[in-house]
Amino acid sequence: MVFLTFPSYQAMSEAAADIFAETLRKKPDAVLGLATGSTPIGLYEELARRYAAGALDFSAATSYNLDEYIGLAGDHPQSYRYFMNQQLFSRVNIDLARTFVPSGLSDDFATDGRAYDAAIAAAGGIDLQLLGIGNNGHIGFNEPDAVFSKETHPITLTESTIQANARFFDTIDEVPRQAITMGMGTIMAAKKVLLVANGAGKAEIVRQAVSGPVTPRLPASILQFHPDVTVLFAEQ
Ligand code: PGA
């Protein structure tokens, strides 16, 4: 595991963009695993800026996002599909038809999850998987639990995640209580993992994830078993 600390969020975002640029340079048709939340916004800004400057080309790339709220359609402003369209997809030359976000509307999320994993495998697997980390150590929406879940699956959000994400909604009651998320098997199968974390508030959970016991009670800790993980931490 490579662990790098940066004095600023901007410096971390640029370093994360460097890793995306390197992946796309080596493999223009890379499969990118993408994440939402506040931490990747600076990275997506930087990718959009580099694309506008002619330094990046997403035309052959494919993307699969980690997760989506159950109950929100893709045109809902708080859905992760909407977030991705706004923050990245509409600002670079990725083919929208090759951007995938789990659907938040379904009557069979377990079947959808298996189909999502099968599609990722059929695309050749994820070359670079971006992750944030929740205050409770979740990655994607894999919440602390007694076991690690392997496949993309529906889950119930913990109170801590609902509270953390309430800042994006008008009221806490509007935060969906369930989500569909890539599972640990899906994430761990990525060839390279890039975890970004921002600010002193995340320092302790990141420390536990990278150097504490590997346990499903702190889902990100499983990354200690992945052969190619880079963690970028911004001190402020
Ligand atoms: P954040 O969320 O980037 O908004 O802190 C991270 C996460 O919950 O995965």
Side-chain angles (χ1 to χ4, degrees), residues 63-88:
S63 71
Y64 285 89
N65 260 79
L66 283 167
D67 47 16
E68 180 60 281
Y69 286 119
I70 286 182
L72 300 192
D75 59 359
H76 188 291
Q78 302 306 338
S79 75
Y80 287 165
R81 160 55 76 180
Y82 189 92
F83 174 100
M84 289 309 304
N85 287 351
Q86 295 288 314
Q87 299 293 333
L88 184 66

mmCIF file with all atom_site columns, all heavy atoms in Angstrom, residues 63-88:
data_model
loop_
_atom_site.group_PDB
_atom_site.id
_atom_site.type_symbol
_atom_site.label_atom_id
_atom_site.label_alt_id
_atom_site.label_comp_id
_atom_site.label_asym_id
_atom_site.label_entity_id
_atom_site.label_seq_id
_atom_site.pdbx_PDB_ins_code
_atom_site.Cartn_x
_atom_site.Cartn_y
_atom_site.Cartn_z
_atom_site.occupancy
_atom_site.B_iso_or_equiv
_atom_site.pdbx_formal_charge
_atom_site.auth_seq_id
_atom_site.auth_comp_id
_atom_site.auth_asym_id
_atom_site.auth_atom_id
_atom_site.pdbx_PDB_model_num
ATOM 1   N N   . SER A 1 63 ? -17.010 3.539  -17.618 1.00 0.00 ? 63 SER A N   1
ATOM 2   C CA  . SER A 1 63 ? -17.004 3.731  -16.165 1.00 0.00 ? 63 SER A CA  1
ATOM 3   C C   . SER A 1 63 ? -18.145 2.982  -15.496 1.00 0.00 ? 63 SER A C   1
ATOM 4   O O   . SER A 1 63 ? -19.225 2.827  -16.061 1.00 0.00 ? 63 SER A O   1
ATOM 5   C CB  . SER A 1 63 ? -17.081 5.217  -15.810 1.00 0.00 ? 63 SER A CB  1
ATOM 6   O OG  . SER A 1 63 ? -18.364 5.731  -16.087 1.00 0.00 ? 63 SER A OG  1
ATOM 7   N N   . TYR A 1 64 ? -17.865 2.542  -14.291 1.00 0.00 ? 64 TYR A N   1
ATOM 8   C CA  . TYR A 1 64 ? -18.861 1.904  -13.427 1.00 0.00 ? 64 TYR A CA  1
ATOM 9   C C   . TYR A 1 64 ? -18.799 2.591  -12.070 1.00 0.00 ? 64 TYR A C   1
ATOM 10  O O   . TYR A 1 64 ? -17.736 2.621  -11.444 1.00 0.00 ? 64 TYR A O   1
ATOM 11  C CB  . TYR A 1 64 ? -18.567 0.408  -13.247 1.00 0.00 ? 64 TYR A CB  1
ATOM 12  C CG  . TYR A 1 64 ? -18.909 -0.397 -14.466 1.00 0.00 ? 64 TYR A CG  1
ATOM 13  C CD1 . TYR A 1 64 ? -17.968 -0.598 -15.471 1.00 0.00 ? 64 TYR A CD1 1
ATOM 14  C CD2 . TYR A 1 64 ? -20.184 -0.917 -14.644 1.00 0.00 ? 64 TYR A CD2 1
ATOM 15  C CE1 . TYR A 1 64 ? -18.280 -1.318 -16.614 1.00 0.00 ? 64 TYR A CE1 1
ATOM 16  C CE2 . TYR A 1 64 ? -20.510 -1.635 -15.784 1.00 0.00 ? 64 TYR A CE2 1
ATOM 17  C CZ  . TYR A 1 64 ? -19.557 -1.831 -16.756 1.00 0.00 ? 64 TYR A CZ  1
ATOM 18  O OH  . TYR A 1 64 ? -19.884 -2.537 -17.888 1.00 0.00 ? 64 TYR A OH  1
ATOM 19  N N   . ASN A 1 65 ? -19.915 3.133  -11.633 1.00 0.00 ? 65 ASN A N   1
ATOM 20  C CA  . ASN A 1 65 ? -19.931 3.763  -10.314 1.00 0.00 ? 65 ASN A CA  1
ATOM 21  C C   . ASN A 1 65 ? -20.177 2.758  -9.203  1.00 0.00 ? 65 ASN A C   1
ATOM 22  O O   . ASN A 1 65 ? -20.737 1.689  -9.411  1.00 0.00 ? 65 ASN A O   1
ATOM 23  C CB  . ASN A 1 65 ? -20.978 4.874  -10.261 1.00 0.00 ? 65 ASN A CB  1
ATOM 24  C CG  . ASN A 1 65 ? -20.337 6.233  -10.442 1.00 0.00 ? 65 ASN A CG  1
ATOM 25  O OD1 . ASN A 1 65 ? -20.027 6.603  -11.563 1.00 0.00 ? 65 ASN A OD1 1
ATOM 26  N ND2 . ASN A 1 65 ? -20.114 6.946  -9.344  1.00 0.00 ? 65 ASN A ND2 1
ATOM 27  N N   . LEU A 1 66 ? -19.750 3.154  -8.016  1.00 0.00 ? 66 LEU A N   1
ATOM 28  C CA  . LEU A 1 66 ? -19.850 2.265  -6.860  1.00 0.00 ? 66 LEU A CA  1
ATOM 29  C C   . LEU A 1 66 ? -21.271 1.998  -6.401  1.00 0.00 ? 66 LEU A C   1
ATOM 30  O O   . LEU A 1 66 ? -21.591 0.883  -5.994  1.00 0.00 ? 66 LEU A O   1
ATOM 31  C CB  . LEU A 1 66 ? -19.134 2.902  -5.664  1.00 0.00 ? 66 LEU A CB  1
ATOM 32  C CG  . LEU A 1 66 ? -17.621 2.856  -5.616  1.00 0.00 ? 66 LEU A CG  1
ATOM 33  C CD1 . LEU A 1 66 ? -17.122 3.822  -4.535  1.00 0.00 ? 66 LEU A CD1 1
ATOM 34  C CD2 . LEU A 1 66 ? -17.163 1.440  -5.300  1.00 0.00 ? 66 LEU A CD2 1
ATOM 35  N N   . ASP A 1 67 ? -22.117 3.042  -6.425  1.00 0.00 ? 67 ASP A N   1
ATOM 36  C CA  . ASP A 1 67 ? -23.365 2.879  -5.687  1.00 0.00 ? 67 ASP A CA  1
ATOM 37  C C   . ASP A 1 67 ? -24.421 3.891  -6.120  1.00 0.00 ? 67 ASP A C   1
ATOM 38  O O   . ASP A 1 67 ? -24.142 4.818  -6.889  1.00 0.00 ? 67 ASP A O   1
ATOM 39  C CB  . ASP A 1 67 ? -23.099 2.984  -4.176  1.00 0.00 ? 67 ASP A CB  1
ATOM 40  C CG  . ASP A 1 67 ? -22.218 4.171  -3.796  1.00 0.00 ? 67 ASP A CG  1
ATOM 41  O OD1 . ASP A 1 67 ? -22.046 5.083  -4.617  1.00 0.00 ? 67 ASP A OD1 1
ATOM 42  O OD2 . ASP A 1 67 ? -21.696 4.170  -2.670  1.00 0.00 ? 67 ASP A OD2 1
ATOM 43  N N   . GLU A 1 68 ? -25.620 3.685  -5.611  1.00 0.00 ? 68 GLU A N   1
ATOM 44  C CA  . GLU A 1 68 ? -26.748 4.587  -5.878  1.00 0.00 ? 68 GLU A CA  1
ATOM 45  C C   . GLU A 1 68 ? -27.764 4.449  -4.752  1.00 0.00 ? 68 GLU A C   1
ATOM 46  O O   . GLU A 1 68 ? -27.891 3.372  -4.142  1.00 0.00 ? 68 GLU A O   1
ATOM 47  C CB  . GLU A 1 68 ? -27.402 4.243  -7.231  1.00 0.00 ? 68 GLU A CB  1
ATOM 48  C CG  . GLU A 1 68 ? -28.586 5.102  -7.638  1.00 0.00 ? 68 GLU A CG  1
ATOM 49  C CD  . GLU A 1 68 ? -28.267 6.589  -7.769  1.00 0.00 ? 68 GLU A CD  1
ATOM 50  O OE1 . GLU A 1 68 ? -28.197 7.258  -6.723  1.00 0.00 ? 68 GLU A OE1 1
ATOM 51  O OE2 . GLU A 1 68 ? -28.119 7.070  -8.923  1.00 0.00 ? 68 GLU A OE2 1
ATOM 52  N N   . TYR A 1 69 ? -28.455 5.525  -4.464  1.00 0.00 ? 69 TYR A N   1
ATOM 53  C CA  . TYR A 1 69 ? -29.544 5.474  -3.488  1.00 0.00 ? 69 TYR A CA  1
ATOM 54  C C   . TYR A 1 69 ? -30.726 4.716  -4.072  1.00 0.00 ? 69 TYR A C   1
ATOM 55  O O   . TYR A 1 69 ? -31.120 4.968  -5.234  1.00 0.00 ? 69 TYR A O   1
ATOM 56  C CB  . TYR A 1 69 ? -30.029 6.882  -3.165  1.00 0.00 ? 69 TYR A CB  1
ATOM 57  C CG  . TYR A 1 69 ? -29.118 7.693  -2.289  1.00 0.00 ? 69 TYR A CG  1
ATOM 58  C CD1 . TYR A 1 69 ? -28.570 8.877  -2.756  1.00 0.00 ? 69 TYR A CD1 1
ATOM 59  C CD2 . TYR A 1 69 ? -28.837 7.300  -0.983  1.00 0.00 ? 69 TYR A CD2 1
ATOM 60  C CE1 . TYR A 1 69 ? -27.763 9.661  -1.951  1.00 0.00 ? 69 TYR A CE1 1
ATOM 61  C CE2 . TYR A 1 69 ? -28.020 8.073  -0.167  1.00 0.00 ? 69 TYR A CE2 1
ATOM 62  C CZ  . TYR A 1 69 ? -27.494 9.252  -0.655  1.00 0.00 ? 69 TYR A CZ  1
ATOM 63  O OH  . TYR A 1 69 ? -26.694 10.015 0.145   1.00 0.00 ? 69 TYR A OH  1
ATOM 64  N N   . ILE A 1 70 ? -31.300 3.838  -3.275  1.00 0.00 ? 70 ILE A N   1
ATOM 65  C CA  . ILE A 1 70 ? -32.527 3.166  -3.694  1.00 0.00 ? 70 ILE A CA  1
ATOM 66  C C   . ILE A 1 70 ? -33.694 4.148  -3.553  1.00 0.00 ? 70 ILE A C   1
ATOM 67  O O   . ILE A 1 70 ? -33.839 4.825  -2.527  1.00 0.00 ? 70 ILE A O   1
ATOM 68  C CB  . ILE A 1 70 ? -32.745 1.874  -2.862  1.00 0.00 ? 70 ILE A CB  1
ATOM 69  C CG1 . ILE A 1 70 ? -31.746 0.809  -3.350  1.00 0.00 ? 70 ILE A CG1 1
ATOM 70  C CG2 . ILE A 1 70 ? -34.190 1.385  -2.949  1.00 0.00 ? 70 ILE A CG2 1
ATOM 71  C CD1 . ILE A 1 70 ? -31.845 -0.537 -2.669  1.00 0.00 ? 70 ILE A CD1 1
ATOM 72  N N   . GLY A 1 71 ? -34.479 4.225  -4.609  1.00 0.00 ? 71 GLY A N   1
ATOM 73  C CA  . GLY A 1 71 ? -35.665 5.082  -4.600  1.00 0.00 ? 71 GLY A CA  1
ATOM 74  C C   . GLY A 1 71 ? -35.483 6.374  -5.378  1.00 0.00 ? 71 GLY A C   1
ATOM 75  O O   . GLY A 1 71 ? -36.461 7.079  -5.629  1.00 0.00 ? 71 GLY A O   1
ATOM 76  N N   . LEU A 1 72 ? -34.235 6.702  -5.736  1.00 0.00 ? 72 LEU A N   1
ATOM 77  C CA  . LEU A 1 72 ? -34.021 7.929  -6.509  1.00 0.00 ? 72 LEU A CA  1
ATOM 78  C C   . LEU A 1 72 ? -33.776 7.591  -7.969  1.00 0.00 ? 72 LEU A C   1
ATOM 79  O O   . LEU A 1 72 ? -32.920 6.772  -8.294  1.00 0.00 ? 72 LEU A O   1
ATOM 80  C CB  . LEU A 1 72 ? -32.818 8.718  -5.977  1.00 0.00 ? 72 LEU A CB  1
ATOM 81  C CG  . LEU A 1 72 ? -32.868 9.190  -4.523  1.00 0.00 ? 72 LEU A CG  1
ATOM 82  C CD1 . LEU A 1 72 ? -31.748 10.201 -4.265  1.00 0.00 ? 72 LEU A CD1 1
ATOM 83  C CD2 . LEU A 1 72 ? -34.216 9.802  -4.157  1.00 0.00 ? 72 LEU A CD2 1
ATOM 84  N N   . ALA A 1 73 ? -34.546 8.251  -8.852  1.00 0.00 ? 73 ALA A N   1
ATOM 85  C CA  . ALA A 1 73 ? -34.316 8.107  -10.288 1.00 0.00 ? 73 ALA A CA  1
ATOM 86  C C   . ALA A 1 73 ? -33.064 8.888  -10.669 1.00 0.00 ? 73 ALA A C   1
ATOM 87  O O   . ALA A 1 73 ? -32.625 9.784  -9.938  1.00 0.00 ? 73 ALA A O   1
ATOM 88  C CB  . ALA A 1 73 ? -35.526 8.630  -11.058 1.00 0.00 ? 73 ALA A CB  1
ATOM 89  N N   . GLY A 1 74 ? -32.494 8.549  -11.815 1.00 0.00 ? 74 GLY A N   1
ATOM 90  C CA  . GLY A 1 74 ? -31.248 9.170  -12.245 1.00 0.00 ? 74 GLY A CA  1
ATOM 91  C C   . GLY A 1 74 ? -31.337 10.668 -12.502 1.00 0.00 ? 74 GLY A C   1
ATOM 92  O O   . GLY A 1 74 ? -30.313 11.356 -12.530 1.00 0.00 ? 74 GLY A O   1
ATOM 93  N N   . ASP A 1 75 ? -32.560 11.187 -12.650 1.00 0.00 ? 75 ASP A N   1
ATOM 94  C CA  . ASP A 1 75 ? -32.693 12.638 -12.855 1.00 0.00 ? 75 ASP A CA  1
ATOM 95  C C   . ASP A 1 75 ? -32.996 13.366 -11.543 1.00 0.00 ? 75 ASP A C   1
ATOM 96  O O   . ASP A 1 75 ? -33.213 14.581 -11.541 1.00 0.00 ? 75 ASP A O   1
ATOM 97  C CB  . ASP A 1 75 ? -33.755 12.953 -13.921 1.00 0.00 ? 75 ASP A CB  1
ATOM 98  C CG  . ASP A 1 75 ? -35.121 12.404 -13.555 1.00 0.00 ? 75 ASP A CG  1
ATOM 99  O OD1 . ASP A 1 75 ? -35.257 11.759 -12.497 1.00 0.00 ? 75 ASP A OD1 1
ATOM 100 O OD2 . ASP A 1 75 ? -36.068 12.647 -14.336 1.00 0.00 ? 75 ASP A OD2 1
ATOM 101 N N   . HIS A 1 76 ? -32.994 12.634 -10.418 1.00 0.00 ? 76 HIS A N   1
ATOM 102 C CA  . HIS A 1 76 ? -33.169 13.291 -9.115  1.00 0.00 ? 76 HIS A CA  1
ATOM 103 C C   . HIS A 1 76 ? -31.858 13.990 -8.757  1.00 0.00 ? 76 HIS A C   1
ATOM 104 O O   . HIS A 1 76 ? -30.791 13.377 -8.830  1.00 0.00 ? 76 HIS A O   1
ATOM 105 C CB  . HIS A 1 76 ? -33.517 12.235 -8.058  1.00 0.00 ? 76 HIS A CB  1
ATOM 106 C CG  . HIS A 1 76 ? -33.904 12.827 -6.734  1.00 0.00 ? 76 HIS A CG  1
ATOM 107 N ND1 . HIS A 1 76 ? -33.008 13.485 -5.920  1.00 0.00 ? 76 HIS A ND1 1
ATOM 108 C CD2 . HIS A 1 76 ? -35.100 12.875 -6.098  1.00 0.00 ? 76 HIS A CD2 1
ATOM 109 C CE1 . HIS A 1 76 ? -33.628 13.900 -4.830  1.00 0.00 ? 76 HIS A CE1 1
ATOM 110 N NE2 . HIS A 1 76 ? -34.900 13.542 -4.916  1.00 0.00 ? 76 HIS A NE2 1
ATOM 111 N N   . PRO A 1 77 ? -31.930 15.260 -8.348  1.00 0.00 ? 77 PRO A N   1
ATOM 112 C CA  . PRO A 1 77 ? -30.679 16.008 -8.108  1.00 0.00 ? 77 PRO A CA  1
ATOM 113 C C   . PRO A 1 77 ? -29.767 15.398 -7.043  1.00 0.00 ? 77 PRO A C   1
ATOM 114 O O   . PRO A 1 77 ? -28.574 15.681 -7.042  1.00 0.00 ? 77 PRO A O   1
ATOM 115 C CB  . PRO A 1 77 ? -31.164 17.392 -7.664  1.00 0.00 ? 77 PRO A CB  1
ATOM 116 C CG  . PRO A 1 77 ? -32.553 17.498 -8.184  1.00 0.00 ? 77 PRO A CG  1
ATOM 117 C CD  . PRO A 1 77 ? -33.122 16.116 -8.244  1.00 0.00 ? 77 PRO A CD  1
ATOM 118 N N   . GLN A 1 78 ? -30.307 14.570 -6.152  1.00 0.00 ? 78 GLN A N   1
ATOM 119 C CA  . GLN A 1 78 ? -29.440 13.935 -5.152  1.00 0.00 ? 78 GLN A CA  1
ATOM 120 C C   . GLN A 1 78 ? -29.007 12.527 -5.550  1.00 0.00 ? 78 GLN A C   1
ATOM 121 O O   . GLN A 1 78 ? -28.313 11.849 -4.783  1.00 0.00 ? 78 GLN A O   1
ATOM 122 C CB  . GLN A 1 78 ? -30.140 13.879 -3.783  1.00 0.00 ? 78 GLN A CB  1
ATOM 123 C CG  . GLN A 1 78 ? -30.556 15.234 -3.257  1.00 0.00 ? 78 GLN A CG  1
ATOM 124 C CD  . GLN A 1 78 ? -29.414 16.222 -3.203  1.00 0.00 ? 78 GLN A CD  1
ATOM 125 O OE1 . GLN A 1 78 ? -28.239 15.832 -3.161  1.00 0.00 ? 78 GLN A OE1 1
ATOM 126 N NE2 . GLN A 1 78 ? -29.731 17.496 -3.254  1.00 0.00 ? 78 GLN A NE2 1
ATOM 127 N N   . SER A 1 79 ? -29.439 12.078 -6.733  1.00 0.00 ? 79 SER A N   1
ATOM 128 C CA  . SER A 1 79 ? -28.999 10.738 -7.154  1.00 0.00 ? 79 SER A CA  1
ATOM 129 C C   . SER A 1 79 ? -27.533 10.792 -7.573  1.00 0.00 ? 79 SER A C   1
ATOM 130 O O   . SER A 1 79 ? -27.011 11.844 -7.965  1.00 0.00 ? 79 SER A O   1
ATOM 131 C CB  . SER A 1 79 ? -29.862 10.215 -8.302  1.00 0.00 ? 79 SER A CB  1
ATOM 132 O OG  . SER A 1 79 ? -29.525 10.869 -9.508  1.00 0.00 ? 79 SER A OG  1
ATOM 133 N N   . TYR A 1 80 ? -26.885 9.656  -7.484  1.00 0.00 ? 80 TYR A N   1
ATOM 134 C CA  . TYR A 1 80 ? -25.473 9.622  -7.846  1.00 0.00 ? 80 TYR A CA  1
ATOM 135 C C   . TYR A 1 80 ? -25.283 9.662  -9.361  1.00 0.00 ? 80 TYR A C   1
ATOM 136 O O   . TYR A 1 80 ? -24.249 10.134 -9.855  1.00 0.00 ? 80 TYR A O   1
ATOM 137 C CB  . TYR A 1 80 ? -24.807 8.413  -7.209  1.00 0.00 ? 80 TYR A CB  1
ATOM 138 C CG  . TYR A 1 80 ? -24.626 8.586  -5.709  1.00 0.00 ? 80 TYR A CG  1
ATOM 139 C CD1 . TYR A 1 80 ? -24.337 7.514  -4.888  1.00 0.00 ? 80 TYR A CD1 1
ATOM 140 C CD2 . TYR A 1 80 ? -24.735 9.850  -5.118  1.00 0.00 ? 80 TYR A CD2 1
ATOM 141 C CE1 . TYR A 1 80 ? -24.148 7.685  -3.519  1.00 0.00 ? 80 TYR A CE1 1
ATOM 142 C CE2 . TYR A 1 80 ? -24.554 10.026 -3.752  1.00 0.00 ? 80 TYR A CE2 1
ATOM 143 C CZ  . TYR A 1 80 ? -24.272 8.943  -2.958  1.00 0.00 ? 80 TYR A CZ  1
ATOM 144 O OH  . TYR A 1 80 ? -24.082 9.116  -1.607  1.00 0.00 ? 80 TYR A OH  1
ATOM 145 N N   . ARG A 1 81 ? -26.275 9.182  -10.109 1.00 0.00 ? 81 ARG A N   1
ATOM 146 C CA  . ARG A 1 81 ? -26.213 9.337  -11.580 1.00 0.00 ? 81 ARG A CA  1
ATOM 147 C C   . ARG A 1 81 ? -26.201 10.829 -11.929 1.00 0.00 ? 81 ARG A C   1
ATOM 148 O O   . ARG A 1 81 ? -25.392 11.269 -12.735 1.00 0.00 ? 81 ARG A O   1
ATOM 149 C CB  . ARG A 1 81 ? -27.396 8.608  -12.223 1.00 0.00 ? 81 ARG A CB  1
ATOM 150 C CG  . ARG A 1 81 ? -27.734 9.056  -13.624 1.00 0.00 ? 81 ARG A CG  1
ATOM 151 C CD  . ARG A 1 81 ? -26.566 8.997  -14.597 1.00 0.00 ? 81 ARG A CD  1
ATOM 152 N NE  . ARG A 1 81 ? -26.254 7.658  -15.040 1.00 0.00 ? 81 ARG A NE  1
ATOM 153 C CZ  . ARG A 1 81 ? -25.263 7.379  -15.904 1.00 0.00 ? 81 ARG A CZ  1
ATOM 154 N NH1 . ARG A 1 81 ? -24.489 8.361  -16.401 1.00 0.00 ? 81 ARG A NH1 1
ATOM 155 N NH2 . ARG A 1 81 ? -25.015 6.147  -16.276 1.00 0.00 ? 81 ARG A NH2 1
ATOM 156 N N   . TYR A 1 82 ? -27.073 11.577 -11.290 1.00 0.00 ? 82 TYR A N   1
ATOM 157 C CA  . TYR A 1 82 ? -27.141 13.013 -11.559 1.00 0.00 ? 82 TYR A CA  1
ATOM 158 C C   . TYR A 1 82 ? -25.812 13.683 -11.171 1.00 0.00 ? 82 TYR A C   1
ATOM 159 O O   . TYR A 1 82 ? -25.270 14.493 -11.925 1.00 0.00 ? 82 TYR A O   1
ATOM 160 C CB  . TYR A 1 82 ? -28.306 13.610 -10.755 1.00 0.00 ? 82 TYR A CB  1
ATOM 161 C CG  . TYR A 1 82 ? -28.629 15.040 -11.082 1.00 0.00 ? 82 TYR A CG  1
ATOM 162 C CD1 . TYR A 1 82 ? -29.582 15.363 -12.049 1.00 0.00 ? 82 TYR A CD1 1
ATOM 163 C CD2 . TYR A 1 82 ? -28.003 16.093 -10.408 1.00 0.00 ? 82 TYR A CD2 1
ATOM 164 C CE1 . TYR A 1 82 ? -29.889 16.691 -12.343 1.00 0.00 ? 82 TYR A CE1 1
ATOM 165 C CE2 . TYR A 1 82 ? -28.302 17.407 -10.694 1.00 0.00 ? 82 TYR A CE2 1
ATOM 166 C CZ  . TYR A 1 82 ? -29.245 17.699 -11.659 1.00 0.00 ? 82 TYR A CZ  1
ATOM 167 O OH  . TYR A 1 82 ? -29.546 19.012 -11.941 1.00 0.00 ? 82 TYR A OH  1
ATOM 168 N N   . PHE A 1 83 ? -25.301 13.327 -9.992  1.00 0.00 ? 83 PHE A N   1
ATOM 169 C CA  . PHE A 1 83 ? -24.022 13.861 -9.512  1.00 0.00 ? 83 PHE A CA  1
ATOM 170 C C   . PHE A 1 83 ? -22.930 13.617 -10.552 1.00 0.00 ? 83 PHE A C   1
ATOM 171 O O   . PHE A 1 83 ? -22.159 14.521 -10.902 1.00 0.00 ? 83 PHE A O   1
ATOM 172 C CB  . PHE A 1 83 ? -23.667 13.180 -8.183  1.00 0.00 ? 83 PHE A CB  1
ATOM 173 C CG  . PHE A 1 83 ? -22.304 13.526 -7.628  1.00 0.00 ? 83 PHE A CG  1
ATOM 174 C CD1 . PHE A 1 83 ? -22.155 14.462 -6.615  1.00 0.00 ? 83 PHE A CD1 1
ATOM 175 C CD2 . PHE A 1 83 ? -21.154 12.889 -8.103  1.00 0.00 ? 83 PHE A CD2 1
ATOM 176 C CE1 . PHE A 1 83 ? -20.896 14.772 -6.099  1.00 0.00 ? 83 PHE A CE1 1
ATOM 177 C CE2 . PHE A 1 83 ? -19.892 13.188 -7.592  1.00 0.00 ? 83 PHE A CE2 1
ATOM 178 C CZ  . PHE A 1 83 ? -19.772 14.137 -6.591  1.00 0.00 ? 83 PHE A CZ  1
ATOM 179 N N   . MET A 1 84 ? -22.840 12.386 -11.056 1.00 0.00 ? 84 MET A N   1
ATOM 180 C CA  . MET A 1 84 ? -21.769 12.050 -12.004 1.00 0.00 ? 84 MET A CA  1
ATOM 181 C C   . MET A 1 84 ? -21.923 12.823 -13.309 1.00 0.00 ? 84 MET A C   1
ATOM 182 O O   . MET A 1 84 ? -20.927 13.300 -13.881 1.00 0.00 ? 84 MET A O   1
ATOM 183 C CB  . MET A 1 84 ? -21.732 10.548 -12.273 1.00 0.00 ? 84 MET A CB  1
ATOM 184 C CG  . MET A 1 84 ? -21.239 9.712  -11.106 1.00 0.00 ? 84 MET A CG  1
ATOM 185 S SD  . MET A 1 84 ? -19.666 10.224 -10.370 1.00 0.00 ? 84 MET A SD  1
ATOM 186 C CE  . MET A 1 84 ? -18.573 10.188 -11.781 1.00 0.00 ? 84 MET A CE  1
ATOM 187 N N   . ASN A 1 85 ? -23.182 12.939 -13.774 1.00 0.00 ? 85 ASN A N   1
ATOM 188 C CA  . ASN A 1 85 ? -23.404 13.702 -15.010 1.00 0.00 ? 85 ASN A CA  1
ATOM 189 C C   . ASN A 1 85 ? -22.933 15.144 -14.837 1.00 0.00 ? 85 ASN A C   1
ATOM 190 O O   . ASN A 1 85 ? -22.278 15.701 -15.713 1.00 0.00 ? 85 ASN A O   1
ATOM 191 C CB  . ASN A 1 85 ? -24.889 13.685 -15.383 1.00 0.00 ? 85 ASN A CB  1
ATOM 192 C CG  . ASN A 1 85 ? -25.340 12.330 -15.906 1.00 0.00 ? 85 ASN A CG  1
ATOM 193 O OD1 . ASN A 1 85 ? -24.522 11.441 -16.146 1.00 0.00 ? 85 ASN A OD1 1
ATOM 194 N ND2 . ASN A 1 85 ? -26.639 12.169 -16.076 1.00 0.00 ? 85 ASN A ND2 1
ATOM 195 N N   . GLN A 1 86 ? -23.272 15.721 -13.673 1.00 0.00 ? 86 GLN A N   1
ATOM 196 C CA  . GLN A 1 86 ? -22.922 17.119 -13.420 1.00 0.00 ? 86 GLN A CA  1
ATOM 197 C C   . GLN A 1 86 ? -21.422 17.307 -13.210 1.00 0.00 ? 86 GLN A C   1
ATOM 198 O O   . GLN A 1 86 ? -20.822 18.224 -13.763 1.00 0.00 ? 86 GLN A O   1
ATOM 199 C CB  . GLN A 1 86 ? -23.637 17.615 -12.141 1.00 0.00 ? 86 GLN A CB  1
ATOM 200 C CG  . GLN A 1 86 ? -25.129 17.649 -12.248 1.00 0.00 ? 86 GLN A CG  1
ATOM 201 C CD  . GLN A 1 86 ? -25.600 18.768 -13.154 1.00 0.00 ? 86 GLN A CD  1
ATOM 202 O OE1 . GLN A 1 86 ? -25.127 19.890 -13.055 1.00 0.00 ? 86 GLN A OE1 1
ATOM 203 N NE2 . GLN A 1 86 ? -26.501 18.470 -14.056 1.00 0.00 ? 86 GLN A NE2 1
ATOM 204 N N   . GLN A 1 87 ? -20.848 16.450 -12.346 1.00 0.00 ? 87 GLN A N   1
ATOM 205 C CA  . GLN A 1 87 ? -19.467 16.684 -11.902 1.00 0.00 ? 87 GLN A CA  1
ATOM 206 C C   . GLN A 1 87 ? -18.427 16.264 -12.927 1.00 0.00 ? 87 GLN A C   1
ATOM 207 O O   . GLN A 1 87 ? -17.338 16.816 -12.966 1.00 0.00 ? 87 GLN A O   1
ATOM 208 C CB  . GLN A 1 87 ? -19.191 15.948 -10.584 1.00 0.00 ? 87 GLN A CB  1
ATOM 209 C CG  . GLN A 1 87 ? -20.070 16.388 -9.433  1.00 0.00 ? 87 GLN A CG  1
ATOM 210 C CD  . GLN A 1 87 ? -19.792 17.816 -9.001  1.00 0.00 ? 87 GLN A CD  1
ATOM 211 O OE1 . GLN A 1 87 ? -18.692 18.326 -9.172  1.00 0.00 ? 87 GLN A OE1 1
ATOM 212 N NE2 . GLN A 1 87 ? -20.789 18.472 -8.455  1.00 0.00 ? 87 GLN A NE2 1
ATOM 213 N N   . LEU A 1 88 ? -18.767 15.250 -13.734 1.00 0.00 ? 88 LEU A N   1
ATOM 214 C CA  . LEU A 1 88 ? -17.730 14.743 -14.638 1.00 0.00 ? 88 LEU A CA  1
ATOM 215 C C   . LEU A 1 88 ? -18.224 14.467 -16.052 1.00 0.00 ? 88 LEU A C   1
ATOM 216 O O   . LEU A 1 88 ? -17.665 15.005 -17.015 1.00 0.00 ? 88 LEU A O   1
ATOM 217 C CB  . LEU A 1 88 ? -17.115 13.452 -14.065 1.00 0.00 ? 88 LEU A CB  1
ATOM 218 C CG  . LEU A 1 88 ? -15.945 12.895 -14.880 1.00 0.00 ? 88 LEU A CG  1
ATOM 219 C CD1 . LEU A 1 88 ? -14.754 13.850 -14.841 1.00 0.00 ? 88 LEU A CD1 1
ATOM 220 C CD2 . LEU A 1 88 ? -15.533 11.508 -14.395 1.00 0.00 ? 88 LEU A CD2 1
#
